[in-house]
């Protein structure tokens, strides 16, 4: 598989047990968007995360 670049689309047809229900971002890597393909239609089921939304839940008044 060639190394993906920014803007590329990667399709994973089967990830076994490693699906979004098992995903985490403990290492501060944002989770990708999830898109369901139905025929030729693309349905965005979950938008990608960004650092701002990931850190929004952390307390900053230590």
């Amino acid at each position: 598989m060639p190394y993906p670049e920014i803007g590329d689309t990667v399709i994973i047809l089967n990830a076994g047990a490693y699906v979004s229900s098992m995903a985490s971002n403990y290492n501060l890597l944002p989770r990708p968007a999830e898109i369901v393909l139905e025929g030729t239609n693309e349905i965005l089921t979950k938008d990608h995360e960004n650092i701002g939304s990931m850190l929004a839940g952390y307390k900053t008044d230590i």
Side-chain angles (χ1 to χ4, degrees):
M1 178 174 154
Y3 189 78
E5 297 180 16
I6 293 175
D8 286 352
T9 300
V10 177
I11 298 173
I12 300 172
L13 298 177
N14 187 345
Y18 303 100
V19 296
S20 65
S21 63
M22 298 286 293
S24 72
N25 50 15
Y26 71 94
N27 55 3
L28 292 180
L29 288 176
R31 289 173 252 196
E34 294 181 19
I35 300 170
V36 173
L37 299 176
E38 187 175 304
T40 58
N41 296 325
E42 299 175 3
I43 304 165
L44 179 67
T45 57
K46 193 179 289 185
D47 204 0
H48 70 279
E49 289 183 320
N50 60 48
I51 296 295
S53 65
M54 289 169 41
L55 297 178
Y58 288 93
K59 292 180 97 177
T60 57
D61 58 335
I62 296 176

